[in-house]
Amino acid sequence: MNTPNPREQDILAVSARLFAQNGYPGTAMSQVAQACGLSKPALYHYVPDKAELLARICEAHIEKLAALVREVRAQHLEPEAQLRALVARFLAVYTAARHEHRVLTEDLKFLPEPRQQRVRELEREVVNGFAAALAALRPGLETAGLAKPVTMLLFGMINWTYTWHRPEGPVSDAQLAEVVAQLLLGGLPAVSA
């Protein structure tokens, strides 16, 4: 996917906010155009239709997450440090891309199947990257067939933080990432106040 120019990035960000607030079906292109300060014909200069907007939002977000997995793996960290880095980086992205993450998790189903498949391939890459990090930390997980289930449990802890976590609140992204790592690595007794 090509990197969008700054105006296209603005359109995608505004669209993601509107889709997250109103739902994809509940958002009209006229609303997107108005929120972007554009006429509808000017908006169509940048994107051919609403489905393409949705596809670009979902693809850009999941590509960013897949790139993070690749970047962390390329650092060749020790297994525990790698897992902690993945969790911390993902939580930071989820906070910064709150609307995009909501759109990905809630509106992907509205895309045509071929576009969904592209996103799902990248989602598998992300899950496999986390599963590999967990298996490196606990090799027995892979042989017991538990690396992916534990990975999905981890995502269950972090995927919905955008709905309730506010980094400007009493717990920062970094602190929350540490709590997630402590819970995963040691269970509840490992969490220190």
Side-chain angles (χ1 to χ4, degrees):
M1 181 175 163
N2 295 333
T3 302
N5 67 45
R7 185 63 172 143
E8 290 169 337
Q9 288 175 340
D10 290 343
I11 291 168
L12 293 179
V14 168
S15 300
R17 179 178 50 80
L18 291 172
F19 292 168
Q21 290 171 347
N22 307 325
Y24 173 75
T27 304
M29 287 296 275
S30 58
Q31 292 171 295
V32 174
Q34 181 181 17
C36 291
L38 298 170
S39 66
K40 273 181 71 174
L43 177 60
Y44 286 120
H45 169 76
Y46 293 100
V47 63
D49 55 35
K50 191 167 85 163
E52 182 63 24
L53 265 178
L54 177 61
R56 289 182 190 179
I57 292 165
C58 291
E59 289 169 356
H61 185 59
I62 193 63
E63 285 175 359
K64 180 184 286 186
L65 296 175
L68 281 180
V69 170
R70 291 181 212 120
E71 288 169 16
V72 170
R73 290 189 70 163
Q75 294 173 3
H76 303 290
L77 301 170
E78 290 298 316
E80 184 174 326
Q82 182 181 30
L83 184 64
R84 287 176 183 275
L86 285 169
V87 170
R89 301 269 313 264
F90 266 58
L91 284 174
V93 168
Y94 288 175
T95 297
R98 179 176 309 277
H99 301 305
E100 291 81 354
H101 194 65
R102 178 173 291 230
V103 170
L104 175 66
T105 57
E106 296 181 14
D107 294 328
L108 178 63
K109 63 185 174 239
F110 296 112
L111 283 180
E113 189 59 34
R115 294 302 281 271
Q116 283 188 39
Q117 279 305 107
R118 169 73 180 129
V119 171
R120 299 237 185 266
E121 287 170 15
L122 289 165
E123 286 176 332
R124 281 190 289 277
E125 181 182 341
V126 168
V127 168
N128 289 340
F130 269 79
L134 284 165
L137 187 59
R138 293 277 315 274
L141 288 176
E142 189 67 44
T143 54
L146 292 174
K148 284 197 179 163
V150 172
T151 298
M152 299 314 291
L153 287 168
L154 170 59
F155 278 118
M157 281 197 282
I158 66 173
N159 264 0
W160 300 98
T161 55
Y162 74 88
T163 63
W164 58 268
H165 175 61
R166 300 292 175 259
E168 68 279 0
V171 179
S172 71
D173 285 342
Q175 290 169 320
L176 185 62
E178 181 58 25
V179 169
V180 169
Q182 289 171 351
L183 271 172
L184 183 68
L185 297 170
L188 197 53
V191 177
S192 59

